[in-house]
């Protein structure tokens, strides 16, 4: 069973938090858990869902709560728009495409509420949430690995 | 009595950016076609003034998330013509490999995700994935290979960096390229199979008269070098661009429209490249062209999807030969050069067609003026012309059918309005 963690984000502002979490946990995940980062999820993310049994996505969440708040998101809530376009391919579209192709790994999504997504580094609130986000990610991975043991 | 009907489409899907199409039909005749482009211009040309030549290739890469390599290539060639820098052959070969990767990414996305739903009569790409899983898997696998090539040379898959005057900031070691050889050998068969599938979909035919413009190189299928030629006899060096082409402002669009000075609208892109350079294709791509030759007998915009399929095979062939023959550049940084004042032109073949950049530098080598002529703004007047010619056929059918045919006609050009300027809401007014 292959578990894959995918940090998603652009290098700017709080949108980078998915990348920052991935960087922070690198080397500290259980053996055999693969870590990837994606700056543009799109079709690459659909690829990432292709040959894994379980996938954890870590990404910034836009504008619904206090910056730095961490929550697990139901993948079903990341609905795809109906149409694809080359620039407008996001996480929801990638998940829908993977589903249409029968690529359905066990999927958990960890969201970190973003504040300022403009240029620059992480905002203080989001930077302060990094250790908790890494902890939450490790717990999700451990749960998935545990499910593997039970299976 | 005047007959008048109106059709509106909220947003044109599967193209980039925002805009609207407005058709006015009076008593069975099309009286007006306006491709309204209303996203704000992005002012790239203005804010690049004053930037150092060394920054330019990285900055222009940000114009487009789909074809950053194209902007880098046209910009770096313009600068090299000013500073009189001649990259060594190994650098030249790596640039072809880099471009091949981008062609693969862009063409595969268009063929399977943007265009195929039209020919299959399906609503969207998700439905294509459900019903034609093997082909979509094939497409994704090939695209990922293109992605890998771009990431290797651009340093990262998105907003690539690494291109510089005379070379690359870091050239790959031969052992970094070698692992691409086997996947590329397998990719050739996949690319051929994908084109066969597209051929089986019953892509419509609509032969029309249009002038096609592309680069032509002395011995290779064009990517980074060549003269600008056309199907109606143009043959010029890039610095003579303004003698033969004109960019015009039109009131309904924030994009400039291009015309051949003597004649009018023209088209650039894979269709133009194949029409003008079929004799330069590598053997496997040439074989595909020969099979499809009847579709290229006339300048039919619907054959654009076949041109993309042929160019995916070509890109795989080019990439494989670069990888197989690769010798590390002696000096990846390129020869030393002195900043100077001058004017330089760069014309290269972006996935969507000819991309022309004119740069003027001051004595420090900083950008004094830059003009960027992207493929979509060159195609815009031609798309309007295409719709004007198509419209009479649509009058008898349903509005829904009219809308679908207009959208397909526009998608044939794979417009990328977000790049330079911008696209689409469809409104047909029949009165």
């Amino acid at each position: 069973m292959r578990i894959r963690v995918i940090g998603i984000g652009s290098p700017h502002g709080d949108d980078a938090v998915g990348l920052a979490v991935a960087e922070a946990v690198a080397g500290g995940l259980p053996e055999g858990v693969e870590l990837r980062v994606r700056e543009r999820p799109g079709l690459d993310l659909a690829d990432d869902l292709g040959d894994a049994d379980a996938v954890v996505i870590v990404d910034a969440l836009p504008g619904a709560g206090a910056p730095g708040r961490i929550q697990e998101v139901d993948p079903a809530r990341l609905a795809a728009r109906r149409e694809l376009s080359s620039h407008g391919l996001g996480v929801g579209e990638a998940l829908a495409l993977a589903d249409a192709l029968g690529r359905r790994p066990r999927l958990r999504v960890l969201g970190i509420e973003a504040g300022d997504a403009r240029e620059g580094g992480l905002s203080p609130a989001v930077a302060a949430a990094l250790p908790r986000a890494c902890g939450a990610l490790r717990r999700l991975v451990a749960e998935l690995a545990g499910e593997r043991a039970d299976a | 009595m005047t007959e008048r009907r109106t059709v509106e489409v909220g947003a044109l899907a599967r193209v980039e950016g925002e805009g609207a199409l407005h058709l006015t039909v009076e008593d069975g005749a099309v009286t007006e076609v306006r491709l309204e482009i209303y996203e704000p211009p992005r002012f790239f040309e203005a804010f690049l003034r004053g930037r150092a030549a060394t920054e330019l290739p990285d900055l222009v890469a940000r114009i487009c998330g789909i074809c950053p390599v194209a902007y880098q290539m046209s910009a770096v060639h313009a600068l090299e013509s000013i500073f009189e820098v001649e990259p060594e052959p190994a650098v030249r070969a790596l640039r072809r490999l880099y471009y091949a990767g981008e062609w693969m990414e862009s063409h595969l996305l268009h063929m399977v995700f943007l265009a195929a739903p039209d020919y299959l009569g399906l609503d969207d790409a998700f439905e294509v994935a459900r019903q034609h899983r093997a082909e979509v898997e094939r497409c994704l696998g090939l695209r990922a290979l293109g992605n890998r090539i771009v990431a290797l040379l651009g340093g990262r898959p998105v907003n690539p960096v690494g291109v510089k005057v005379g070379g690359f900031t870091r050239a790959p070691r031969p052992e970094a390229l070698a692992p691409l050889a086997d996947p590329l050998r397998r990719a050739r068969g996949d690319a051929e199979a994908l084109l066969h599938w597209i051929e089986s979909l019953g892509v419509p035919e609509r032969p029309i008269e249009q002038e096609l413009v592309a680069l032509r190189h002395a011995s290779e299928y064009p990517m980074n070098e060549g003269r600008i030629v056309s199907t109606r006899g143009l043959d010029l060096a890039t610095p003579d661009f303004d003698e033969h082409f004109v960019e015009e402002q039109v009131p309904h669009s924030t994009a400039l429209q291009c015309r051949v000075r003597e004649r009018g609208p023209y088209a650039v892109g894979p269709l133009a490249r194949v029409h003008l350079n079929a004799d330069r294709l590598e053997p496997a791509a040439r074989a595909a062209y020969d099979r499809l030759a009847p579709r290229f007998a006339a300048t039919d915009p619907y054959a654009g999807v076949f041109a993309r399929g042929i160019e995916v095979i070509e890109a795989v062939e080019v990439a494989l030969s670069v990888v197989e023959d690769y010798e590390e550049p002696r000096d990846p940084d390129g020869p030393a050069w002195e900043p100077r004042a001058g004017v330089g032109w760069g014309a290269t073949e972006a996935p969507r067609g000819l991309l022309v950049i004119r740069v003027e530098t001051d004595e420090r080598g900083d950008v004094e003026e830059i003009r960027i002529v992207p493929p979509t703004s060159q195609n815009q007047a031609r798309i309007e012309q295409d719709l004007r010619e198509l419209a009479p056929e649509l009058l008898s059918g349903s509005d829904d059918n009219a809308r679908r045919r207009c959208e397909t006609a526009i998608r044939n050009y794979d417009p990328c309005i977000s790049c330079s300027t911008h696209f689409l809401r469809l409104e047909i007014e029949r009165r």
Side-chain angles (χ1 to χ4, degrees):
Chain A
M1 163 144 151
R2 286 152 304 178
I3 300 177
R4 182 174 292 149
V5 173
I6 304 159
I8 295 173
S10 76
H12 306 299
D14 285 343
D15 192 31
V17 67
L19 307 177
V21 172
E23 198 181 318
V25 299
L29 291 171
E31 198 174 337
V33 176
E34 189 196 353
L35 183 66
R36 291 187 183 180
V37 292
R38 291 293 186 195
E39 290 188 23
R40 187 171 63 195
L43 294 179
D44 300 331
L45 181 56
D47 285 336
D48 292 334
L49 299 176
D51 52 358
D53 302 298
V55 168
V56 184
I57 290 173
V58 190
D59 198 357
L61 290 174
R69 181 172 163 240
I70 297 163
Q71 60 173 320
E72 197 178 344
V73 179
D74 178 359
R77 278 179 52 208
L78 302 169
R81 280 167 297 206
R82 197 159 153 274
E83 286 286 7
L84 291 180
S85 78
S86 44
H87 290 256
L89 255 164
V91 174
E93 289 75 19
L95 295 183
L97 180 63
D99 181 74
L101 290 168
R103 300 173 175 184
R104 299 179 188 118
R106 259 174 283 171
L107 183 62
R108 309 287 292 265
V109 179
L110 190 66
I112 300 114
E113 193 59 44
D116 192 343
R118 287 174 303 183
E119 295 285 320
L122 296 179
S123 67
V126 171
L130 267 184
R132 278 183 292 125
C134 293
L137 174 62
R138 286 197 200 89
R139 278 193 296 281
L140 280 182
V141 170
E143 275 177 41
L144 287 165
E147 286 172 26
R148 171 180 61 181
D150 298 342
Chain B
M1 200 185 88
T2 299
E3 188 217 351
R4 177 188 161 134
R5 283 164 72 196
T6 304
V7 179
E8 277 193 61
V9 180
L12 191 92
R14 308 205 305 275
V15 298
E16 305 313 333
E18 284 180 42
L21 172 65
H22 188 98
L23 296 183
T24 306
V25 178
E26 286 179 86
D27 289 333
V30 180
T31 52
E32 195 181 18
V33 176
R34 295 196 320 265
L35 206 52
E36 296 176 350
I37 289 180
Y38 51 74
E39 281 193 26
R42 290 173 60 184
F43 303 114
F44 255 94
E45 293 174 329
F47 80 65
L48 289 170
R49 277 186 213 129
R51 304 305 292 250
T54 47
E55 298 177 288
L56 195 58
D58 290 346
L59 289 172
V60 295
R62 302 302 182 94
I63 293 173
C64 181
I66 301 298
C67 50
V69 174
Y71 287 92
Q72 291 186 306
M73 286 296 118
S74 288
V76 84
H77 282 89
L79 292 172
E80 284 166 357
S81 80
I82 298 174
F83 304 135
E84 294 178 8
V85 172
E86 179 99 28
E88 64 176 290
V91 165
R92 198 180 166 276
L94 283 176
R95 287 180 178 174
R96 276 177 74 74
L97 173 64
Y98 193 33
Y99 232 144
E102 181 165 281
W103 281 16
M104 288 169 71
E105 290 180 303
S106 177
H107 286 358
L108 288 157
L109 183 71
H110 181 265
M111 288 164 68
V112 175
F113 292 94
L114 309 187
D118 286 334
Y119 313 131
L120 288 161
L122 296 175
D123 284 341
D124 56 45
F126 305 120
E127 207 45 50
V128 178
R130 271 185 283 273
Q131 296 186 24
H132 300 269
R133 186 167 157 180
E135 280 74 19
V136 173
E137 296 276 7
R138 219 193 290 280
C139 165
L140 285 176
L142 285 165
R143 208 201 62 94
L145 186 55
N147 211 14
R148 201 169 141 192
I149 293 170
V150 171
L152 187 69
L153 291 163
R156 54 190 192 197
V158 185
N159 293 325
V161 291
V163 170
K164 58 185 286 196
V165 170
F168 283 90
T169 49
R170 191 173 57 84
R173 309 278 306 172
E175 52 270 30
L177 285 194
L180 290 170
D182 277 335
L184 282 167
R185 281 183 203 109
R186 287 193 297 273
R188 183 162 43 197
D190 281 335
E192 287 168 342
L194 204 59
L195 179 55
H196 276 291
W197 177 65
I198 294 283
E199 285 172 60
S200 75
L201 302 184
V203 177
E205 285 183 49
R206 201 167 71 80
I208 58 170
E209 286 290 322
Q210 56 173 341
E211 183 162 14
L212 301 175
V213 174
L215 289 182
R216 183 161 169 87
H217 181 269
S219 58
E220 294 168 342
Y221 198 75
M223 283 181 172
N224 281 315
E225 295 157 21
R227 290 174 66 80
I228 297 173
V229 301
S230 88
T231 50
R232 292 194 189 155
L234 288 179
D235 183 355
L236 52 125
T238 306
D240 298 331
F241 185 81
D242 286 336
E243 282 174 38
H244 299 277
F245 297 90
V246 59
E247 288 186 282
E248 292 171 335
Q249 209 136 30
V250 289
H252 61 262
S253 168
T254 54
L256 293 170
Q257 293 197 352
C258 297
R259 288 164 211 285
V260 174
R261 221 172 254 285
E262 306 83 0
R263 282 185 290 275
Y266 64 98
V268 298
L271 184 72
R273 285 193 294 259
V274 167
H275 265 276
L276 291 158
N277 296 283
D279 57 339
R280 299 284 188 265
L281 288 165
E282 297 291 326
R286 173 70 201 200
Y289 170 82
D290 287 341
R291 189 178 67 243
L292 283 155
R295 294 301 304 253
F296 293 97
T299 51
D300 177 354
Y302 277 96
V305 72
F306 299 126
R308 287 184 189 91
I310 290 168
E311 285 194 342
V312 171
I313 302 171
E314 176 72 12
V316 168
E317 294 278 281
V318 166
L320 182 59
S321 75
V322 172
V323 167
E324 284 177 335
D325 301 340
Y326 181 60
E327 281 176 37
E328 216 171 329
R330 288 187 312 279
D331 181 9
D333 279 337
W337 52 273
E338 290 296 324
R340 68 164 74 158
V343 174
W345 290 79
T348 71
E349 286 288 351
R352 291 173 168 88
L354 187 68
L355 168 57
V356 179
I357 292 183
R358 177 189 182 275
V359 182
E360 211 173 321
T361 55
D362 60 22
E363 69 286 348
R364 292 184 307 272
D366 293 346
V367 175
E368 206 158 63
E369 268 314 314
I370 182 166
R371 218 170 94 210
I372 301 169
V373 189
T376 293
S377 76
Q378 295 180 76
N379 282 337
Q380 195 193 341
R382 183 53 247 177
I383 300 173
E384 285 189 356
Q385 180 72 23
D386 212 2
L387 293 165
R388 203 172 288 123
E389 291 161 7
L390 177 69
E393 296 174 31
L394 305 177
L395 299 180
S396 53
S398 72
D399 287 349
D400 202 40
N401 180 54
R403 202 163 47 230
R404 246 197 329 266
R405 290 196 53 193
C406 285
E407 288 186 347
T408 305
I410 292 165
R411 272 197 289 272
N412 281 335
Y413 295 86
D414 192 11
C416 180
I417 286 136
S418 310
C419 277
S420 48
T421 53
H422 302 274
F423 238 23
L424 247 150
R425 200 162 52 78
L426 172 64
E427 198 174 279
I428 304 177
E429 198 173 309
R430 310 185 196 220
R431 37 180 192 213

Coordinates of all heavy atoms in Angstrom, one line a residue, chain B residues 281-326:
Chain B
L281 N 9.3 17.7 -41.3 CA 9.0 16.8 -40.2 C 9.9 15.6 -40.1 O 10.4 15.1 -41.1 CB 7.5 16.3 -40.4 CG 6.4 17.4 -40.2 CD1 5.1 16.8 -40.7 CD2 6.2 17.7 -38.7
E282 N 10.1 15.2 -38.9 CA 10.8 13.9 -38.6 C 10.0 12.8 -39.2 O 8.8 12.8 -39.4 CB 11.1 13.7 -37.1 CG 11.9 14.8 -36.5 CD 13.4 14.8 -36.9 OE1 13.9 13.7 -37.1 OE2 14.0 15.9 -36.9
P283 N 10.7 11.6 -39.5 CA 10.0 10.5 -40.3 C 8.7 10.1 -39.7 O 7.7 10.0 -40.4 CB 11.0 9.4 -40.2 CG 12.4 10.1 -40.1 CD 12.1 11.4 -39.3
A284 N 8.6 9.9 -38.4 CA 7.3 9.3 -37.8 C 6.2 10.4 -37.9 O 5.1 10.0 -38.2 CB 7.5 8.9 -36.3
A285 N 6.6 11.6 -37.7 CA 5.6 12.7 -37.8 C 5.2 12.9 -39.3 O 4.0 13.1 -39.7 CB 6.1 14.0 -37.3
R286 N 6.2 12.7 -40.2 CA 5.9 12.9 -41.6 C 5.0 11.8 -42.1 O 4.1 12.0 -42.9 CB 7.3 12.8 -42.4 CG 7.2 12.7 -43.9 CD 6.7 14.1 -44.4 NE 6.2 13.9 -45.8 CZ 6.0 14.9 -46.6 NH1 6.4 16.1 -46.3 NH2 5.5 14.6 -47.8
A287 N 5.2 10.6 -41.6 CA 4.3 9.5 -41.9 C 2.8 9.8 -41.5 O 1.9 9.5 -42.3 CB 4.8 8.2 -41.3
A288 N 2.7 10.3 -40.4 CA 1.3 10.7 -39.9 C 0.7 11.8 -40.8 O -0.4 11.7 -41.2 CB 1.3 11.2 -38.5
Y289 N 1.6 12.7 -41.2 CA 1.1 13.8 -42.1 C 0.7 13.2 -43.5 O -0.3 13.5 -44.0 CB 2.2 14.8 -42.4 CG 1.9 15.8 -43.5 CD1 1.1 16.9 -43.2 CD2 2.4 15.6 -44.8 CE1 0.8 17.8 -44.3 CE2 2.1 16.4 -45.8 CZ 1.3 17.5 -45.6 OH 0.9 18.4 -46.6
D290 N 1.5 12.3 -44.0 CA 1.2 11.7 -45.3 C -0.2 11.0 -45.3 O -1.0 11.1 -46.2 CB 2.3 10.7 -45.7 CG 3.6 11.4 -46.2 OD1 3.5 12.6 -46.5 OD2 4.6 10.8 -46.2
R291 N -0.4 10.3 -44.2 CA -1.7 9.6 -44.0 C -2.9 10.7 -44.0 O -3.9 10.4 -44.6 CB -1.7 8.8 -42.7 CG -2.9 7.9 -42.6 CD -2.8 7.1 -41.3 NE -2.9 7.9 -40.1 CZ -2.0 8.1 -39.2 NH1 -0.8 7.4 -39.3 NH2 -2.2 8.8 -38.1
L292 N -2.6 11.8 -43.4 CA -3.6 12.8 -43.2 C -3.6 13.9 -44.3 O -4.3 14.9 -44.3 CB -3.5 13.5 -41.9 CG -3.9 12.7 -40.7 CD1 -3.2 13.1 -39.4 CD2 -5.4 12.8 -40.5
A293 N -2.7 13.7 -45.3 CA -2.5 14.8 -46.4 C -3.8 15.3 -46.9 O -3.9 16.5 -47.1 CB -1.6 14.3 -47.5
P294 N -4.8 14.5 -47.2 CA -6.1 15.1 -47.8 C -6.7 16.2 -46.9 O -7.3 17.1 -47.4 CB -7.0 13.9 -47.9 CG -6.1 12.7 -48.0 CD -4.9 13.0 -47.1
R295 N -6.5 16.0 -45.5 CA -7.0 17.0 -44.6 C -6.2 18.3 -44.7 O -6.6 19.3 -44.1 CB -7.1 16.5 -43.2 CG -8.0 15.4 -42.9 CD -9.5 15.7 -43.3 NE -10.1 16.8 -42.6 CZ -10.9 16.8 -41.6 NH1 -11.3 15.6 -41.1 NH2 -11.4 17.9 -41.1
F296 N -5.1 18.3 -45.3 CA -4.2 19.5 -45.4 C -4.2 20.0 -46.9 O -3.4 20.9 -47.2 CB -2.8 19.2 -44.9 CG -2.8 19.0 -43.4 CD1 -2.7 17.7 -42.9 CD2 -2.8 20.0 -42.5 CE1 -2.7 17.4 -41.6 CE2 -2.8 19.8 -41.2 CZ -2.7 18.5 -40.7
A297 N -5.1 19.5 -47.7 CA -5.1 19.9 -49.1 C -5.6 21.4 -49.2 O -5.2 22.2 -49.9 CB -6.0 19.0 -50.0
A298 N -6.6 21.7 -48.3 CA -7.1 23.1 -48.2 C -6.7 23.6 -46.8 O -6.3 22.8 -45.9 CB -8.6 23.1 -48.3
T299 N -6.8 24.9 -46.6 CA -6.5 25.5 -45.3 C -7.7 25.4 -44.4 O -8.4 26.4 -44.2 CB -6.0 26.9 -45.5 OG1 -6.9 27.6 -46.3 CG2 -4.6 26.9 -46.2
D300 N -8.0 24.2 -43.9 CA -9.2 24.0 -43.1 C -8.9 24.1 -41.6 O -8.1 23.4 -41.1 CB -9.7 22.6 -43.4 CG -10.9 22.2 -42.6 OD1 -11.3 22.9 -41.7 OD2 -11.4 21.1 -42.9
P301 N -9.5 25.1 -40.9 CA -9.2 25.3 -39.5 C -9.4 24.0 -38.6 O -8.8 23.8 -37.6 CB -10.0 26.4 -39.0 CG -10.9 26.8 -40.2 CD -10.4 26.1 -41.4
Y302 N -10.4 23.2 -39.1 CA -10.7 22.0 -38.3 C -9.5 21.0 -38.3 O -9.4 20.1 -37.5 CB -11.9 21.3 -38.9 CG -13.2 21.8 -38.3 CD1 -13.9 22.8 -39.1 CD2 -13.7 21.4 -37.1 CE1 -15.1 23.4 -38.6 CE2 -14.9 22.0 -36.6 CZ -15.6 22.9 -37.4 OH -16.7 23.5 -36.9
A303 N -8.6 21.1 -39.3 CA -7.4 20.2 -39.3 C -6.4 20.6 -38.3 O -5.4 19.9 -38.1 CB -6.8 20.2 -40.7
G304 N -6.7 21.7 -37.6 CA -5.7 22.1 -36.5 C -5.5 21.1 -35.5 O -4.4 20.9 -35.0
V305 N -6.5 20.3 -35.2 CA -6.4 19.2 -34.2 C -5.4 18.1 -34.7 O -4.7 17.5 -33.9 CB -7.7 18.7 -33.7 CG1 -8.4 17.9 -34.7 CG2 -7.6 17.9 -32.4
F306 N -5.5 17.9 -36.0 CA -4.6 16.9 -36.5 C -3.1 17.4 -36.5 O -2.2 16.7 -36.3 CB -5.0 16.5 -38.0 CG -6.3 15.9 -38.0 CD1 -7.3 16.4 -38.9 CD2 -6.7 14.8 -37.2 CE1 -8.6 15.9 -39.0 CE2 -8.0 14.3 -37.3 CZ -8.9 14.8 -38.2
A307 N -3.0 18.7 -36.8 CA -1.7 19.4 -36.8 C -1.1 19.2 -35.4 O 0.1 18.9 -35.3 CB -1.8 20.8 -37.2
R308 N -1.9 19.4 -34.4 CA -1.4 19.3 -33.0 C -0.9 17.8 -32.8 O 0.1 17.6 -32.2 CB -2.4 19.7 -32.0 CG -2.6 21.2 -32.0 CD -3.6 21.7 -30.9 NE -3.8 23.1 -31.2 CZ -4.8 23.5 -32.0 NH1 -5.7 22.7 -32.5 NH2 -4.9 24.8 -32.2
G309 N -1.7 16.9 -33.3 CA -1.3 15.5 -33.1 C 0.0 15.1 -33.8 O 0.8 14.4 -33.3
I310 N 0.1 15.7 -35.0 CA 1.4 15.5 -35.7 C 2.5 16.1 -35.0 O 3.6 15.5 -34.9 CB 1.3 16.0 -37.2 CG1 0.3 15.2 -38.0 CG2 2.6 16.1 -37.9 CD1 -0.2 15.9 -39.3
E311 N 2.3 17.3 -34.4 CA 3.4 18.0 -33.7 C 3.7 17.3 -32.4 O 4.8 17.5 -31.9 CB 3.0 19.4 -33.5 CG 3.1 20.2 -34.8 CD 3.1 21.7 -34.6 OE1 2.7 22.2 -33.5 OE2 3.6 22.5 -35.5
V312 N 2.8 16.6 -31.8 CA 3.1 15.8 -30.6 C 4.1 14.7 -31.0 O 5.2 14.6 -30.3 CB 1.9 15.2 -29.9 CG1 2.3 14.3 -28.8 CG2 1.0 16.3 -29.3
I313 N 3.9 14.1 -32.1 CA 4.8 13.0 -32.5 C 6.2 13.7 -32.9 O 7.2 13.2 -32.5 CB 4.3 12.3 -33.8 CG1 2.9 11.7 -33.5 CG2 5.3 11.3 -34.3 CD1 2.2 11.1 -34.7
E314 N 6.1 14.9 -33.6 CA 7.3 15.6 -33.9 C 8.1 16.0 -32.6 O 9.3 15.8 -32.6 CB 7.0 16.9 -34.7 CG 8.1 17.8 -35.0 CD 9.1 17.2 -36.1 OE1 8.7 16.2 -36.7 OE2 10.2 17.8 -36.3
A315 N 7.4 16.5 -31.6 CA 8.1 16.9 -30.4 C 8.8 15.7 -29.7 O 9.9 15.8 -29.2 CB 7.1 17.5 -29.5
V316 N 8.1 14.5 -29.7 CA 8.7 13.3 -29.1 C 9.9 13.0 -29.9 O 11.0 12.7 -29.3 CB 7.7 12.2 -29.1 CG1 8.3 10.9 -28.8 CG2 6.5 12.5 -28.1
E317 N 9.9 13.0 -31.2 CA 11.0 12.7 -32.0 C 12.2 13.7 -31.8 O 13.4 13.2 -31.7 CB 10.7 12.8 -33.5 CG 9.7 11.7 -33.9 CD 10.3 10.4 -34.2 OE1 10.9 10.2 -35.3 OE2 10.3 9.5 -33.3
V318 N 11.9 14.9 -31.8 CA 12.9 16.0 -31.5 C 13.6 15.7 -30.1 O 14.8 15.7 -30.0 CB 12.3 17.4 -31.6 CG1 13.3 18.4 -31.1 CG2 12.0 17.7 -33.1
A319 N 12.7 15.5 -29.2 CA 13.2 15.4 -27.8 C 14.1 14.1 -27.7 O 15.2 14.2 -27.1 CB 12.0 15.2 -26.8
L320 N 13.7 13.0 -28.4 CA 14.5 11.8 -28.3 C 15.8 12.0 -29.0 O 16.9 11.6 -28.4 CB 13.7 10.7 -28.9 CG 14.4 9.3 -28.9 CD1 14.7 8.9 -27.5 CD2 13.5 8.2 -29.6
S321 N 15.8 12.7 -30.1 CA 17.1 12.9 -30.8 C 18.1 13.8 -30.0 O 19.3 13.5 -29.9 CB 17.0 13.3 -32.2 OG 16.6 14.7 -32.3
V322 N 17.5 14.8 -29.3 CA 18.4 15.6 -28.4 C 18.9 14.8 -27.3 O 20.1 14.9 -27.0 CB 17.6 16.9 -27.9 CG1 18.4 17.6 -26.9 CG2 17.2 17.8 -29.1
V323 N 18.1 14.0 -26.7 CA 18.5 13.2 -25.5 C 19.6 12.2 -25.9 O 20.6 12.0 -25.3 CB 17.3 12.5 -24.9 CG1 17.7 11.4 -23.9 CG2 16.4 13.5 -24.2
E324 N 19.3 11.6 -27.1 CA 20.3 10.5 -27.5 C 21.6 11.1 -27.9 O 22.7 10.5 -27.7 CB 19.7 9.8 -28.7 CG 18.6 8.7 -28.3 CD 18.0 8.0 -29.5 OE1 18.0 8.6 -30.6 OE2 17.5 6.9 -29.3
D325 N 21.6 12.3 -28.5 CA 22.9 12.9 -29.0 C 23.5 13.9 -28.0 O 24.5 14.6 -28.3 CB 22.7 13.7 -30.3 CG 22.1 12.7 -31.4 OD1 22.3 11.5 -31.2 OD2 21.5 13.2 -32.3
Y326 N 23.0 14.0 -26.8 CA 23.3 15.1 -25.9 C 24.8 15.0 -25.4 O 25.3 14.0 -25.0 CB 22.4 15.0 -24.7 CG 22.7 16.2 -23.7 CD1 22.6 17.5 -24.1 CD2 23.1 15.9 -22.3 CE1 22.9 18.5 -23.2 CE2 23.3 16.9 -21.4 CZ 23.2 18.2 -21.9 OH 23.5 19.3 -21.0

